[in-house]
């Protein structure tokens, strides 16, 4: 069966003066339909570069020097700019680390939702959309949230809004890049539980990028471990967590 998304020997360079930094160095990873995969590893291992490569968010200076990433068998890197934008809008949801930084500070939250949905409904239909999407992520008083600017929301509320926006078009894949890094311990558990629950409800696959192996074991089916731009271990979450085969995975668990 063709995976939803498949990364094969992907290599990405960032320019650094005369030389280049190899951020991804032959990375391979596949995610199936409805599967939840955690990508773990220390800072600088290439996790976020991989996520940005899939989302088309790499800086213009980044260079793909090898490998490929395919979506339902079609190369992401061979898509035209218009096709890539359509792919991001229809198929991909992205939840960022910084819940406030991911929202437009100049625009009310409700207008941002309508912008994602590409709708300009009348007031009654807009209120129904706010109830549907904001209440779904556990936000009380969705109409008040819709009237708010991002700076008027707490970190947990802003992250729930970000999740609502990411899932508004029912994407086939949700990428969550350290989605709880800016939140306290209690909110971390709530947000990760919410993300997993909503992915199950919508049938979306999940790529969760995190430093937290314990959280990864709890919320995903598989764990892939990255070291210096490569996936060095990939397996069922319980197996990787309790019976790791790579020395680096053992060191991550020990730390």
């Amino acid at each position: 069966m063709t995976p939803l998304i498949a990364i094969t020997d992907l290599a990405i360079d960032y320019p650094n003066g005369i030389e280049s930094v190899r951020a991804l160095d032959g990375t391979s990873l596949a995610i199936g339909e409805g599967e939840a995969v955690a990508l773990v590893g220390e800072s600088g291992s290439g996790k976020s570069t991989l996520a940005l490569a899939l989302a088309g968010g790499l800086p213009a200076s980044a260079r793909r020097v090898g490998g490929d990433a395919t979506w339902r068998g079609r190369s992401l890197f061979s898509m035209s700019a218009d096709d890539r934008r359509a792919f991001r809008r229809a198929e991909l949801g992205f939840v960022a680390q910084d819940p406030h930084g991911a929202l437009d500070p100049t625009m009310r939250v409700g207008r941002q939702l309508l912008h994602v949905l590409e709708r300009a409904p009348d007031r009654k239909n807009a209120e129904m959309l706010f109830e549907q999407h904001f209440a779904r992520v556990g936000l009380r008083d969705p109409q008040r949230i819709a009237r708010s600017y991002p700076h008027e929301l707490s970190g947990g509320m802003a992250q729930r809004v970000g999740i609502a926006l990411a899932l508004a078009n029912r994407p086939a894949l949700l990428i969550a890049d350290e989605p709880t890094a800016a939140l306290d311990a209690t909110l971390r558990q709530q947000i990760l539980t919410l993300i997993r629950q909503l992915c199950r409800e919508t049938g979306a696959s999940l790529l969760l990028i995190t430093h937290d192996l314990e959280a990864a074991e709890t919320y995903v089916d598989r764990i892939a471990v990255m070291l210096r731009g490569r996936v060095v271990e990939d397996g069922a979450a319980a197996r990787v967590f309790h019976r790791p085969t790579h020395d680096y995975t053992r060191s991550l668990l020990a730390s």
Side-chain angles (χ1 to χ4, degrees), residues 27 40 102 135 143-144 167 206 238 254:
T27 301
V40 303
Q143 304 304 327
R144 182 183 66 80
L167 290 172
L206 171 65

Side-chain angles (χ1 to χ4, degrees), residues 3-251:
L4 181 70
I5 196 159
I7 301 102
T8 308
D9 298 325
L10 186 60
I12 300 287
D13 279 359
Y14 290 123
N16 183 23
I18 298 175
E19 299 181 347
S20 294
V21 174
R22 180 63 51 88
L24 296 181
D25 190 19
T27 301
S28 295
L29 180 69
I31 303 174
E33 298 268 3
E35 189 176 25
V37 177
L39 193 60
V40 303
E42 62 194 37
S43 296
S45 60
K47 304 186 304 298
S48 292
T49 295
L50 179 59
L52 291 173
L54 299 181
L58 287 171
S61 58
R63 294 187 302 120
R64 177 174 64 105
V65 294
D68 202 358
T70 59
W71 178 262
R72 304 187 195 275
R74 181 185 180 191
S75 172
L76 292 175
F77 295 103
S78 68
M79 290 182 180
S80 67
D82 286 344
D83 286 348
R84 196 68 184 261
R85 280 192 292 271
F87 160 74
R88 286 199 302 267
R89 181 171 292 278
E91 302 280 14
L92 188 70
F94 198 98
V95 180
Q97 284 189 36
D98 178 4
H100 285 102
L103 300 173
D104 186 335
T106 69
M107 190 183 297
R108 296 184 192 273
V109 167
R111 184 170 292 277
Q112 295 189 52
L113 173 64
L114 298 179
H115 179 71
V116 167
L117 293 170
E118 294 188 314
R119 297 185 193 176
D122 58 38
R123 180 172 179 176
K124 182 177 180 180
N125 287 334
E127 289 177 353
M128 289 175 61
L129 287 170
F130 300 152
E131 290 283 349
Q132 175 187 346
H133 291 282
F134 293 147
R136 183 181 177 206
V137 296
L139 288 168
R140 298 178 181 177
D141 196 354
Q143 304 304 327
R144 182 183 66 80
I145 297 295
R147 294 191 298 271
S148 301
Y149 286 96
H151 73 271
E152 298 174 313
L153 306 177
S154 68
M157 293 167 71
Q159 194 59 292
R160 287 174 187 269
V161 167
I163 294 167
L165 299 184
L167 290 172
N169 288 317
R170 298 181 70 87
L173 174 66
L174 179 69
I175 298 176
D177 186 2
E178 297 282 4
T180 60
L183 306 178
D184 63 39
T186 302
L187 280 173
R188 279 190 206 116
Q189 185 175 9
Q190 292 177 8
I191 292 298
L192 288 173
T193 299
L194 175 65
I195 288 173
R196 191 68 178 105
Q197 173 191 332
L198 290 173
C199 284
R200 285 192 177 110
E201 288 177 3
T202 62
S205 299
L206 171 65
L207 178 60
L208 173 65
I209 297 172
T210 181
H211 288 87
D212 188 342
L213 269 78
E214 190 171 3
E217 186 207 11
T218 303
Y219 296 103
V220 302
D221 307 309
R222 277 175 41 224
I223 295 176
V225 183
M226 286 197 76
L227 172 65
R228 291 193 286 272
R230 292 187 177 185
V231 173
V232 296
E233 183 158 2
D234 183 358
R239 198 278 297 162
V240 172
F241 189 79
H242 295 287
R243 297 185 304 282
T245 60
H246 198 280
D247 288 342
Y248 178 64
T249 308
R250 295 189 189 102
S251 70

